[in-house]
Structures are given as structure tokens and as C-alpha cells.
Amino acid sequence: MKWKKYTIKTTTQAEDFISSMLADLGIEGVQIEDNIPLSSADKEKMYIDILPKLPPDEGIASISFFLEAEKEQEEFLSQMRKELENLRSFVDIGTAEISEGETEDKDWIDNWKQYFKAFTIENILIKPTWEELPPEGEYRHVIEIDPGTSFGTGKHETTQLCIRQLCRYMKPQDRVLDVGCGSGILSLVSLKLGAGHVTGTDIDPLCIAASTDNMKVNGLPMEQADFYHGNLSDDVILQNKVGMGYDIVTANILADVIIPLTPVIPGCLKKGGIYITSGIIDFKEEAVKKVVIEAGLEILEIRYQGEWLSITARK
């Protein structure tokens, strides 16, 4: 489906007023662009380790919304312009200049695919579902991935760190808990390496669907996996569903999520079980090491790739 994109150039002061006005006119969502620094609360909610450097905030903002291109929108736009002028009487809305563009659903869904190509890590070939199997190569296992709208193609340094540690510590028939499973890639790798059963959790329900779909794509039996929606850090019901006695727990998330999660992990592991963390930016190393030690776990090794690191510990 084709969509018209309309962007209103305005002020940061008027963002909430214009967003509310558009909602009253039936617009279900808007895209706001400005240079206002994120608050501490925003950073915590978004689990951001590295913030982009923004230009100085000059009080300028852009508010975009989308309308179906096939439908006549002149009446709506006329009403919107009237409402903008009404707002001008009590808030500075700037020029309120409106620009127009066009896009399609497939632009949002598929454009990123051009950057995901097949690659090998250890003896595992990871490839997108839409590409043919390479004619040559040295690999023992093949994993096909379609992340959909979830995170996890396997190409990021943090995921590769986890995969290498799984290759190092996995034993046949191990039970694996994959916290923050995303596309399910670490669960798939675990099963390919011989795990007897995997359990995955994620705070995003779309990740649960993606993990299940990728199990089917790879021909892996669903009785070997369970995927649950929720936050393992503080959801007691989910903790009871997940249970105890795991040989390996992986957590490829971010340091600010690993820190509150880690105290829960010893209760999930059997004695001698392995905790593999990743997604840790280098300047958060000491904070994560501290919480791992305080949880009563023994740090076995720390591995680095670029500015990221993985901490592996044992109960």
C-alpha cells in the first residue's frame, strides 16, 4: 500500500499541542524529530547505552504523519490547517510549513534486508531465509533467520560473542534459557549444537512470534522449545513458568538490563551451570562484573569484540 507522508515544521513548544490536535482528527500515530536531549527516565525505558551526538536544541521540531495515498485527503488537510491556525493564537507553532512525500509499506518492512547477507561464525552458517544456500563453504550447521521486526540477525558483535561462548560451553542435551531471545537466534544455535531443550523469554511479543517462526523455518521440533512473553527480572509468574535447573543461561541484551536481571539468574541455574552475558558496552564492564560477583557467580572469562564484551560466569 502507498502512503502520503506529511511533515509539519514547528517548534518543540508546540509538539504536544499539534500531536493532540492530529489525534483528535483521527491520526493514530505521529513521528516527532527534534534535538531535545533524552531525560534519565527516557534512557532507562529505552535501555540506551550510547546516545547519538545531537546538534544544539534550537527549539525546532518536525511532526510527520501518514495518510493512504489512494484516498482524497484535501478535506482533512484543509481542516488540519484551520486547527493549526487556531493553535497559533495561544502557542508558538513556528512556520507550520507542510511538506509532502510518498512511501510504501514495503519500504519500511524490507529495505533493511539489503544489509543482511549470509556469513559464517565458528562452524555455523547463518543466512537470511530469502537467500539461496551458498554453493561452497566450510560449515557444519546452517541456520536460516528472518528477524521480521525483532532484533537478531547474528551479525552484531554482541550476538557473535554469545555464539562463540555457546560453542565453547554447550554439552549434548543441555537445557538452555535464552533471556531476551529476539529472533530466537541463540535458541536456534543452542539446538543445532545439541541442546535438549531451550526456553526463550522477551519483553516484546513480536519476538516470541519471530522465534517460533524461525524454529519452523529451520525444521526444529517445537517440543524442544518454549517461548514466553514477559520480563524475567521482576515477573514472578514468568519466573515460575521458566523454572530452574538450566545448564546454560544466555542474556544478550544491554548492561542496563543485565544488571537488574542477574540476581534472578542463580535461581534458574543448576550447580555448575553457565551464565553467558553479552550486549555490554566496554565502559559498563565493571558495573556488570560487580553484579555478577554479588549474585554469587564465579567469573570464568571476559571476551571482547570491538567496543563490546561478553562475561561468562559459573554457579
Side-chain angles (χ1 to χ4, degrees):
M1 179 184 293
K2 291 186 177 182
W3 298 82
K4 290 282 189 182
K5 178 182 179 181
Y6 296 94
T7 300
I8 305 169
K9 186 176 181 180
T10 185
T11 66
T12 53
Q13 180 185 357
E15 284 177 3
D16 290 342
F17 293 94
I18 294 178
S19 299
S20 178
M21 177 269 289
L22 290 171
D24 289 342
L25 292 178
I27 299 298
E28 295 182 356
V30 297
Q31 173 184 309
I32 299 176
E33 298 174 75
D34 58 36
N35 293 329
I36 299 176
L38 290 174
S39 67
S40 298
D42 288 333
K43 294 175 192 175
E44 289 177 7
K45 286 188 286 187
M46 298 173 71
Y47 302 129
I48 291 176
D49 266 337
I50 304 176
L51 290 172
K53 291 184 179 179
L54 297 174
D57 176 23
E58 297 179 345
I60 299 172
S62 295
I63 301 178
S64 300
F65 61 94
F66 298 86
L67 299 174
E68 290 182 37
E70 289 79 7
K71 293 185 178 180
E72 179 57 51
Q73 307 293 354
E74 195 51 49
E75 183 178 345
F76 172 88
L77 295 172
S78 176
Q79 181 63 34
M80 182 192 69
R81 290 186 179 97
K82 290 179 182 177
E83 296 297 334
L84 282 172
E85 291 309 309
N86 289 338
L87 287 176
R88 195 184 293 279
S89 62
F90 57 88
V91 65
D92 178 11
I93 66 170
T95 64
E97 176 186 344
I98 302 170
S99 58
E100 181 181 327
E102 191 171 280
T103 187
E104 293 190 54
D105 289 346
K106 66 181 182 181
D107 295 334
W108 303 329
I109 297 171
D110 294 334
N111 280 356
W112 65 273
K113 290 183 177 181
Q114 62 185 299
Y115 304 105
F116 180 21
K117 304 295 182 184
F119 69 101
T120 303
I121 178 168
E122 299 294 326
N123 61 356
I124 302 168
L125 174 72
I126 298 173
K127 63 176 284 294
T129 55
W130 54 89
E131 281 192 358
E132 295 295 325
L133 194 66
E136 299 177 354
E138 296 182 7
Y139 44 84
R140 184 176 179 183
H141 305 291
V142 177
I143 293 176
E144 294 192 89
I145 286 286
D146 185 349
T149 56
S150 64
F151 175 82
T153 64
K155 296 207 77 168
H156 196 274
E157 292 97 328
T158 62
T159 312
Q160 293 185 21
L161 284 163
C162 271
I163 290 173
R164 290 192 175 96
Q165 294 304 85
L166 283 170
C167 290
R168 184 175 175 85
Y169 288 96
M170 176 70 63
K171 303 185 302 297
Q173 296 305 305
D174 272 356
R175 292 180 66 228
V176 178
L177 172 60
D178 180 9
V179 184
C181 58
S183 65
I185 187 166
L186 295 181
S187 295
L188 301 175
V189 168
S190 297
L191 290 171
K192 292 282 187 174
L193 292 174
H197 190 275
V198 297
T199 300
T201 70
D202 206 288
I203 62 173
D204 186 347
L206 294 175
C207 293
I208 306 306
S211 297
T212 301
D213 289 344
N214 284 319
M215 284 282 295
K216 295 173 182 175
V217 164
N218 286 273
L220 295 167
M222 285 307 302
E223 57 265 27
Q224 284 189 277
D226 293 300
F227 295 103
Y228 299 115
H229 172 228
N231 187 343
L232 193 68
S233 298
D234 57 15
D235 187 335
V236 176
I237 294 175
L238 178 60
Q239 291 169 10
N240 290 334
K241 280 184 182 178
V242 164
M244 304 177 292
Y246 288 92
D247 299 282
I248 294 178
V249 175
T250 65
N252 180 30
I253 319 176
L254 284 174
D256 288 343
V257 186
I258 290 171
I259 289 169
L261 169 70
T262 295
V264 175
I265 298 304
C268 301
L269 284 167
K270 64 169 56 173
K271 186 176 181 180
I274 300 297
Y275 181 35
I276 300 171
T277 69
S278 191
I280 305 164
I281 194 69
D282 50 14
F283 59 81
K284 294 289 182 77
E285 177 178 347
E286 293 304 318
V288 177
K289 283 168 59 177
K290 181 175 182 289
V291 76
V292 169
I293 293 168
E294 287 176 349
L297 302 171
E298 174 194 4
I299 294 178
L300 299 177
E301 59 179 321
I302 301 174
R303 299 220 165 189
Y304 304 86
Q305 189 169 339
E307 59 190 354
W308 301 94
L309 64 101
S310 168
I311 297 175
T312 301
R314 177 171 58 203
K315 179 177 178 180

